[in-house]
């Protein structure tokens, strides 16, 4: 493969022995010559006083590392035209490497991610040993591959604060010598402060001792703090003049914005302040830093106090829809050298809203340069080269990897968030010996110009797990399209510490170009092992997925396997069976009483502040409820508020407890030691909220009489009755009757309800003939004939008014059942 740009690959023998060790220890990176170009700068070539005209950067001979600032070496061209030997090599070493626009451009109109490893050298007890630092830079210039700013405090990206003993150039001229149309994230390993008791002196770049006023200096004070100076208009929140950090700081900057550079007072020549008469300067430029964060860049150590040589950086760019602003998110020290997620306090995470106008005009599809610049001071012969190893190229392949560890026995999921470094699973990370465990490494191709190709997995497996190797496989890769492939057991190697490592190349690429799937899950199953008498803390283990065009890594969460316990946890249902629940009753609750005790456990059986975890199963749904033991006790009673738990989960309570059905709820409990109880069952019988029903016999018949009969009342000829069934519902019963007719003929009389006390006409007159004010706790059926003590001479009768034609008459009874006194 060939590329149409210049690269510089130097023999690593040109590096110091310490730098060579650092390069050799670099994490696996992409081939730098495929994606970066290194050229001499041209943007400041016409300024004779600008001393930074070469580029000391090169690519290591293994093609995996960008060497930006090469120890103390400087190009002889930087000294051309100097008349004073004291300024030789004053520029220090500096350099830049820019993305190739054919293979590694940055589309500023789209979300982008850059993942890289940075190395600054160790502090060695003095911040000057490995100053100055490096910067990740975005820039939008036609000749971007030849852009560079000043060295020394300029880090290869900022402007030159040209100063003489009689004048200070204006901020616009400083900004013109910076990389134009740029945004930088600086990692500054030396604090350039001019207001301390021992300020770094100005640096002389050219001139004669006999021409004091024409000598050119840098005031060397870009980090000078002055809290009384307000941030420029339009700069982001948390913008401050200067920065701190004994061994480094991180900040975002606008290198080509004149407002970035602010002339502040110096310590030199001030009344009452010790004055070095050799440097009678009263003003110097400091820089506005955005979201500055102190960080031990060049003097960092791991938890075991070992020097940290390589530091991981994840940089994310999220533009707004209107392309006016973007959110820059970065995580520094977010991964350890083996690729595992770093969750310790030396990690730095920031989110910053930036002005995209600093990059010039950005439209949809704007392709801009990105790259790294770096610089060293010349104060120490041991200064380390500034190094970068890149894992991911913006827009080429954007991927993510997330690992979860699931305790399938306890239904518990554990993971670390790679974006924040926090433990976001919300569990106590404790599993019991013999619990079934599942590791899931989920690889996702998010976007890109190419598929993620030639992926090789290097997975270090957590210890103290007996892995399932049935069918001679250690695990399975499941692709999004339904394909799967076993990972053979032969892919596993074991070292002298019994640590197992999988080395396996995927049979499929991931992506949306030629690849069939964008997602692959590596599933590995096993059983937790602890045969000791103490809990075992299982350390997290890394997994690195190296493709030819992208590298991603992750790690398992750390967790604890508890030792085997020989006692039992007993769960008892304290409630009567079944439990009655009134359907849709106002303010109805379902609180399940439980009791826990142990068999074979010595006092205290339950220790104060321990956690008890309840698992609740119902109708295919699983819920959890946790309580804290209030005090040492032999037994523990808890009330589980099931309705609240269900509704907090966003589920309609009554959908799980329908009317007139019995539902079974199963509960198990587990303690702080992972002991799981027996299952307790609760039968919940759902009864109607209230019930009111009526049933009337179909026909009411009366005796046959002679048409000339003068009887006052005609008796019933059949045993007619009406029944009312009620539940939690007082009622009253109303009836009315139509006239009795046969064709045009009408019966000369009316239907009445007769009792021993009175008689009520019912024909064309609705009337209440029965009622019950009681609310019964069980279904109750009432016979109206019995309730009203109907006899042959009482109840529903016909009142005869006189002679009627000899015919068979009929009519209609209308019964109405109603709530009693609106009691509901």
């Amino acid at each position: 493969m060939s590329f149409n740009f210049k690269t510089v690959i130097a023999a690593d023998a040109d590096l110091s022995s310490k730098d060579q060790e650092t390069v050799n220890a670099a994490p696996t990176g992409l081939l730098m010559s495929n994606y970066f170009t290194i050229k001499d700068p041209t943007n400041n070539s016409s300024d004779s006083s600008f001393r930074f005209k070469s580029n000391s950067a090169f690519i290591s001979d293994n093609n995996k590392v960008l060497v930006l600032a090469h120890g103390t070496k400087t190009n002889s061209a930087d000294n051309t035209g100097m008349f004073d030997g004291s300024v030789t090599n004053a520029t220090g070493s500096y350099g830049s490497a820019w993305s190739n626009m054919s293979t590694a451009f940055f589309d500023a109109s789209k979300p982008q991610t850059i993942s890289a490893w940075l190395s600054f050298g160790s502090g060695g007890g003095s911040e000057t040993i490995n100053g100055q630092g490096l910067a990740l830079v975005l820039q939008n210039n036609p000749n971007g591959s030849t852009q560079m700013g000043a060295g020394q405090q300029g880090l290869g990206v900022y402007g030159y604060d040209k100063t003489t003993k009689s004048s200070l150039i204006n901020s616009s001229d400083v900004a013109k010598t910076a990389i134009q149309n740029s945004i930088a994230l600086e990692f500054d390993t030396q604090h350039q402060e001019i207001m301390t008791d021992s300020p770094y002196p100005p640096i002389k770049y050219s001139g004669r001792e006999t021409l004091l006023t024409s000598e050119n200096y840098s005031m060397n004070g870009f980090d000078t703090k002055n809290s009384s100076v307000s941030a420029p208009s339009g700069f982001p929140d948390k913008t401050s003049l200067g920065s701190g950090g004994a061994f480094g700081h991180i900040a975002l900057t606008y290198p080509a914005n004149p407002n970035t550079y602010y002339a502040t007072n110096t310590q030199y020549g001030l009344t009452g302040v010790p004055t070095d008469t050799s440097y009678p300067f009263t003003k110097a430029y400091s820089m506005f830093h955005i979201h500055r964060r102190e960080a031990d860049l060049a003097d960092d150590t791991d938890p075991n106090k070992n020097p940290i040589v390589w530091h991981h950086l994840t940089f994310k760019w999220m533009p707004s829809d209107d392309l006016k602003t973007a959110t820059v998110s970065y995580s520094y020290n977010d991964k350890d050298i083996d690729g595992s997620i770093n969750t310790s306090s030396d990690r730095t995470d920031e989110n910053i809203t930036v002005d995209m106008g600093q990059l010039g005009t950005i439209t949809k599809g704007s392709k801009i340069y990105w790259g790294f610049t770096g610089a060293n001071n010349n104060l120490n012969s041991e200064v380390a080269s500034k190094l970068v190893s890149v894992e991911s190229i913006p827009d080429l392949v954007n991927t993510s990897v997330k690992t979860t560890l699931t305790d399938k026995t306890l239904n518990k999921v554990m993971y670390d968030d790679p974006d924040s470094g926090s433990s976001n699973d919300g569990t106590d990370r404790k599993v019991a010996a013999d619990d079934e465990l599942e590791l899931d490494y989920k690889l996702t191709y998010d976007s890109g110009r190419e598929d993620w190709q030639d992926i090789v997995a290097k997975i270090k497996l957590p210890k103290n797990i007996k892995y399932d190797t049935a069918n001679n496989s250690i695990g399975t890769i499941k692709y999004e399209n339904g394909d799967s492939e076993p990972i053979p057991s032969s892919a596993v190697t074991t070292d002298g510490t019994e640590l197992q490592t999988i080395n396996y190349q995927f049979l499929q690429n991931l992506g949306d170009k030629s690849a069939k799937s964008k997602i692959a899950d590596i599933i590995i199953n096993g059983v937790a092992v602890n045969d000791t008498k103490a809990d075992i803390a299982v350390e997290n283990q890394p997994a690195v997925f190296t493709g030819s065009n992208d590298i991603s890594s992750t790690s398992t969460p750390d967790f604890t396997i508890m030792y085997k316990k020989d006692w039992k946890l007993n769960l008892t249902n304290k409630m009567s069976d079944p439990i009655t629940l009134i359907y849709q009753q106002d303010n109805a609750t379902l609180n399940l009483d439980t009791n826990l005790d142990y068999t074979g456990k010595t006092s205290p059986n339950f220790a104060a502040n321990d956690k008890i975890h309840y698992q609740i199963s119902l109708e295919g749904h699983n819920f959890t409820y946790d309580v804290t033991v209030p005090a040492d006790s032999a037994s523990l009673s808890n009330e589980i508020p099931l309705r609240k738990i269900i509704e907090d989960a966003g589920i309609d309570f009554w959908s799980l407890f329908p009317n007139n059905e019995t539902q079974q709820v199963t509960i198990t409990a587990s303690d702080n030691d992972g002991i799981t109880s027996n299952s307790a069952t609760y039968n919940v019988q759902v009864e109607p909220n209230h019930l009111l029903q009526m049933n009337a016999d179909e026909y009411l018949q009366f005796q046959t009489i002679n048409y000339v009969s003068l009887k006052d009342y005609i008796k019933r000829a059949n045993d007619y009755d009406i029944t009312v069934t009620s539940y939690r519902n007082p009622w009253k019963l109303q009836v009315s009757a139509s006239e009795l007719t046969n064709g045009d003929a009408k019966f000369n009389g009316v239907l009445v309800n007769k009792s021993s006390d009175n008689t009520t006409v019912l024909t064309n007159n609705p009337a209440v003939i029965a009622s019950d004010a009681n609310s019964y706790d069980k279904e109750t059926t009432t016979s109206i004939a019995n309730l009203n003590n109907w006899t042959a001479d009482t109840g529903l009768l016909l009142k005869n008014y006189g002679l009627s034609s000899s015919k068979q008459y009929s009519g209609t009874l209308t019964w109405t059942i109603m709530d009693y006194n609106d009691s509901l």
Side-chain angles (χ1 to χ4, degrees):
M1 181 178 290
S2 62
F3 299 93
N4 59 347
F5 56 88
K6 169 187 173 185
T7 61
V8 180
I9 301 181
D12 285 357
D14 199 27
L15 294 170
S16 70
S17 59
K18 286 186 177 180
D19 284 348
Q20 186 63 60
E21 289 177 4
T22 304
V23 169
N24 293 342
T28 302
L30 301 177
L31 298 178
M32 297 297 95
S33 62
N34 287 359
Y35 305 106
F36 292 95
T37 179
I38 297 173
K39 296 182 180 181
D40 285 333
T42 62
N43 53 311
N44 290 301
S45 58
S46 62
D47 185 349
S48 61
S49 65
F50 190 84
R51 305 314 307 168
F52 309 95
K53 298 183 183 297
S54 63
N55 188 349
S56 67
F58 62 89
I59 297 173
S60 64
D61 66 355
N62 64 6
N63 206 5
K64 296 295 183 69
V65 176
L66 299 174
V67 183
L68 299 170
H70 182 197
T72 58
K73 298 191 178 207
T74 58
N75 192 306
S76 60
D78 297 333
N79 303 316
T80 301
M82 294 184 179
F83 306 108
D84 185 349
S86 67
V87 301
T88 302
N89 296 332
T91 55
S93 175
Y94 57 92
S96 65
W98 296 111
S99 58
N100 174 264
M101 293 302 280
S102 298
T103 61
F105 61 81
F106 189 105
D107 186 343
S109 67
K110 296 168 56 179
Q112 303 291 354
T113 299
I114 298 170
S115 178
W117 292 91
L118 316 178
S119 180
F120 310 94
S122 62
S126 169
E127 66 168 330
T128 64
I129 288 181
N130 280 319
Q132 298 286 343
L134 59 83
L136 168 60
V137 184
L138 309 180
Q139 49 115 333
N140 183 22
N141 294 285
N143 58 342
S145 61
T146 62
Q147 287 281 313
M148 195 185 300
Q152 287 279 6
Q153 67 173 349
L155 301 182
V157 60
Y158 302 128
Y160 166 39
D161 60 327
K162 179 180 175 181
T163 308
T164 68
K165 292 181 180 180
S166 61
S167 67
L168 183 70
I169 63 172
N170 61 50
S171 61
S172 295
D173 288 331
V174 178
K176 287 177 183 177
T177 59
I179 295 177
Q180 299 300 291
N181 300 322
S182 64
I183 294 174
L185 183 64
E186 70 165 31
F187 298 84
D188 192 341
T189 56
Q190 186 173 325
H191 180 211
Q192 262 73 25
E193 170 69 73
I194 58 174
M195 289 299 290
T196 61
D197 291 338
S198 300
Y200 293 117
I203 300 173
K204 183 166 64 173
Y205 287 135
S206 64
R208 294 177 183 269
E209 288 295 341
T210 57
L211 300 173
L212 296 179
T213 59
S214 65
E215 294 170 348
N216 294 323
Y217 292 84
S218 165
M219 285 305 296
N220 205 18
F222 277 176
D223 298 323
T224 303
K225 287 185 178 181
N226 190 337
S227 59
S228 65
V229 179
S230 300
S233 175
F235 274 52
D237 294 338
K238 298 183 182 179
T239 296
S240 306
L241 187 65
S243 193
F247 287 93
H249 56 263
I250 306 172
L252 189 132
T253 59
Y254 295 156
N257 189 321
N259 292 327
T260 292
Y261 306 93
Y262 182 86
T264 187
N265 294 326
T266 73
Q267 182 147 337
Y268 302 109
L270 296 181
T271 302
V273 176
T275 302
D276 185 338
T277 57
S278 300
Y279 304 111
F281 304 101
T282 58
K283 289 284 186 180
Y285 279 109
S286 181
M287 279 179 47
F288 282 103
H289 291 68
I290 301 167
H291 284 240
R292 64 190 185 194
R293 295 285 298 272
E294 293 188 9
D296 290 338
L297 306 178
D299 199 30
D300 208 356
T301 58
D302 66 17
N304 297 320
K305 303 301 181 181
N306 299 313
I308 296 178
V309 179
W310 287 96
H311 305 259
H312 193 267
L313 169 69
T314 301
F315 175 94
K316 294 185 178 182
W317 173 267
M318 179 64 68
S320 61
D321 292 338
D322 61 7
L323 301 182
K324 293 186 182 299
T325 62
T327 299
V328 168
S329 302
Y330 76 84
S331 296
Y332 175 76
N333 277 343
D334 57 326
K335 294 183 181 180
D336 293 329
I337 189 68
D338 58 11
S340 58
I341 299 170
N342 179 23
T343 59
S344 63
S345 59
D346 64 345
R347 174 178 173 139
T348 302
D349 297 276
E350 275 287 355
N351 294 287
I352 310 167
T353 301
V354 300
D355 172 19
M356 289 180 62
Q358 301 297 321
L359 297 172
T361 302
I362 298 295
T363 59
K364 185 176 181 180
S366 287
K367 298 178 182 179
I368 67 172
Y369 288 88
W370 68 280
F372 297 90
T373 68
N376 278 344
N377 62 37
N378 62 337
L379 300 178
N380 191 289
S381 61
E382 298 180 6
V383 63
S385 296
K386 301 302 177 282
L387 310 175
V388 174
S389 176
V390 178
E391 288 184 324
S392 67
I393 302 297
D395 210 39
L396 183 66
V397 178
N398 296 315
T399 65
S400 59
V401 183
K402 181 178 180 180
T403 301
T404 57
L405 172 66
T406 301
D407 184 329
K408 296 195 292 185
T409 302
L410 297 178
N411 192 29
K412 180 189 296 185
V413 181
M414 293 160 273
Y415 65 93
D416 290 330
D417 184 357
D419 291 329
S420 66
S422 61
S423 302
N424 278 0
D425 45 64
T427 75
D428 56 16
R429 297 201 173 204
K430 292 182 178 181
V431 305
D434 299 328
D435 279 2
E436 294 184 7
L437 305 179
E438 178 183 276
L439 285 169
D440 182 354
Y441 301 84
K442 185 174 184 179
L443 286 67
T444 302
Y445 172 92
D446 297 313
S447 62
R449 304 192 306 276
E450 298 177 0
D451 290 334
W452 192 6
Q453 302 168 12
D454 308 320
I455 305 168
V456 176
K458 183 177 182 179
I459 302 171
K460 293 185 178 181
L461 297 173
K463 292 184 177 181
N464 294 94
I465 298 177
K466 182 180 180 181
Y467 292 99
D468 183 359
T469 56
N471 301 317
N472 294 317
S473 66
I474 186 67
T476 304
I477 302 176
K478 296 181 179 181
Y479 293 96
E480 182 184 24
N481 68 342
D483 291 348
S484 65
E485 64 190 69
I487 301 175
S489 299
S490 59
V492 181
T493 58
T494 304
D495 66 14
T497 67
E498 301 301 317
L499 181 67
Q500 296 177 285
T501 302
I502 297 173
N503 288 279
Y504 180 78
Q505 181 164 353
F506 285 45
L507 299 181
Q508 296 188 24
N509 296 330
L510 295 179
D512 56 8
K513 308 300 183 287
S514 300
K516 299 177 182 178
S517 297
K518 297 172 67 176
I519 299 174
D521 282 284
I522 300 177
I523 306 297
I524 300 171
N525 289 297
V527 175
V529 176
N530 185 353
D531 295 323
T532 72
K533 293 297 183 181
D535 294 344
I536 296 176
V538 181
E539 295 181 350
N540 62 354
Q541 295 295 342
V544 180
F545 302 93
T546 303
S548 59
N549 51 4
D550 187 79
I551 301 170
S552 288
S553 59
T554 182
S555 60
T556 57
D558 51 20
F559 64 102
T560 299
I561 303 176
M562 294 173 290
Y563 69 94
K564 291 182 179 179
K565 280 71 177 182
D566 56 3
W567 53 81
K568 294 182 180 180
L569 180 62
N570 309 306
L571 177 63
T572 305
N573 175 0
K574 295 173 58 179
M575 306 179 73
S576 59
D577 188 41
I579 302 166
T580 299
L581 179 65
I582 305 304
Y583 184 67
Q584 292 189 339
Q585 185 181 39
D586 291 343
N587 302 317
T589 60
L590 183 55
N591 298 326
L592 305 181
D593 291 335
T594 65
N595 188 78
L596 284 171
D597 59 31
Y598 284 104
T599 299
K601 189 172 188 291
T602 57
S603 181
N605 292 343
F606 293 95
N609 299 319
D610 277 355
K611 301 290 184 182
I612 299 296
H613 178 74
Y614 291 96
Q615 288 187 290
I616 307 157
S617 298
L618 164 66
E619 277 291 296
H621 295 271
N622 293 306
F623 306 96
T624 61
Y625 182 65
D626 295 335
V627 297
T628 300
V629 177
D632 293 356
S633 62
S635 63
L636 185 68
S637 295
N638 285 306
E639 190 176 76
I640 298 178
L642 186 55
R643 178 169 184 173
K644 184 179 185 302
I645 293 170
I646 292 172
E647 291 180 343
D648 286 348
I651 300 174
D652 176 31
F653 176 74
W654 295 110
S655 68
L656 300 184
F657 291 94
N659 195 18
N660 272 328
E661 291 191 13
T662 298
Q663 298 290 55
Q664 190 174 86
V665 180
T666 302
I667 299 177
T668 58
S670 57
D671 65 8
N672 217 35
D673 295 313
I675 301 297
T676 301
S677 74
N678 59 294
S679 296
T681 299
Y682 296 76
N683 294 304
V684 181
Q685 182 175 310
V686 185
E687 297 185 351
N689 195 318
H690 58 87
L691 175 68
L692 189 59
Q693 294 177 339
M694 176 192 65
N695 182 56
D697 290 344
E698 187 174 0
Y699 297 107
L700 169 60
Q701 296 177 329
F702 291 95
Q703 294 176 347
T704 300
I705 59 172
N706 189 292
Y707 82 99
V708 293
S709 173
L710 296 179
K711 289 182 177 181
D712 286 340
Y713 292 97
I714 303 173
K715 299 179 181 180
R716 295 181 299 280
N718 65 330
D719 293 330
Y720 184 80
D721 200 1
I722 311 98
T723 59
V724 175
T725 301
S726 67
Y727 173 73
R728 301 181 187 273
N729 203 137
W731 52 268
K732 54 186 177 181
L733 181 65
Q734 176 182 278
V735 64
S736 65
S738 66
E739 293 181 336
L740 298 177
T741 61
N742 186 325
D744 293 336
K746 293 183 180 181
F747 175 73
N748 189 14
V750 294
L751 183 69
V752 298
N753 179 46
K754 187 175 185 300
S755 68
S756 58
D757 298 327
N758 55 50
T759 300
T760 303
V761 175
L762 301 179
T763 300
N764 295 326
N765 181 42
V768 173
I769 67 166
S771 64
D772 191 341
N774 295 311
S775 178
Y776 300 104
D777 287 333
K778 61 180 181 179
E779 287 189 18
T780 301
T781 299
T782 301
S783 163
I784 302 303
N786 293 337
L787 179 67
N788 289 351
N789 297 315
W790 286 356
T791 65
D793 297 318
T794 61
L796 299 181
L797 304 174
L798 284 178
K799 171 67 174 175
N800 187 15
Y801 287 156
L803 298 176
S804 298
S805 301
S806 179
K807 295 179 180 294
Q808 184 173 341
Y809 298 92
S810 64
T812 301
L813 282 173
T814 300
W815 296 98
T816 304
I817 189 74
M818 297 174 290
D819 294 335
Y820 184 91
N821 289 337
D822 298 322
S823 60
L824 297 182

